Amino acid sequence: PSRSGSAAWAPSCCTPTTPSSTPAWANGEISGISGLGLGVDVSPFEAAAAISDYLPDLFVNNVQVGLVSGSLGTAVLEMKVNQKATLAQENITVTVK
């Protein structure tokens, strides 16, 4: 997510269904998980929980997120009250086993 309102996702894994879990997470389509909304921080932990819920046969080893054109990490990306993160393909990585 950039501070102007964009988030990113690029799974690095071996299953073709993992990428479909990220838009489901971001759009709040996974039961019990709110997704990305106005003023909602981007949490790698919550992303991992959503992927695990969406694809229970996978073990999520690591999720990293980052600002567009920034470095990736496991820290929560804080959004201001008037910001909304969105997905882009280069700023989130997921490692599964």
Side-chain angles (χ1 to χ4, degrees):
S2 73
R3 297 293 172 194
S4 60
S6 124
W9 177 264
S12 62
C13 65
C14 55
T15 177
T17 57
T18 303
S20 67
S21 65
T22 56
W25 159 65
N27 296 327
E29 298 169 359
I30 300 173
S31 180
I33 298 172
S34 65
L36 300 176
L38 195 60
V40 175
D41 295 340
V42 180
S43 166
F45 177 77
E46 289 181 13
I51 295 164
S52 293
D53 191 58
Y54 193 80
L55 301 167
D57 293 338
L58 295 179
F59 173 75
V60 178
N61 192 42
N62 185 22
V63 174
Q64 295 186 351
V65 296
L67 299 176
V68 172
S69 73
S71 61
L72 299 176
T74 56
V76 172
L77 298 178
E78 295 181 9
M79 294 290 114
K80 294 180 182 175
V81 160
N82 61 346
Q83 292 178 317
K84 180 182 178 193
T86 57
L87 293 182
Q89 289 300 313
E90 66 277 358
N91 285 59
I92 298 177
T93 61
V94 177
T95 305
V96 297
K97 290 185 178 187

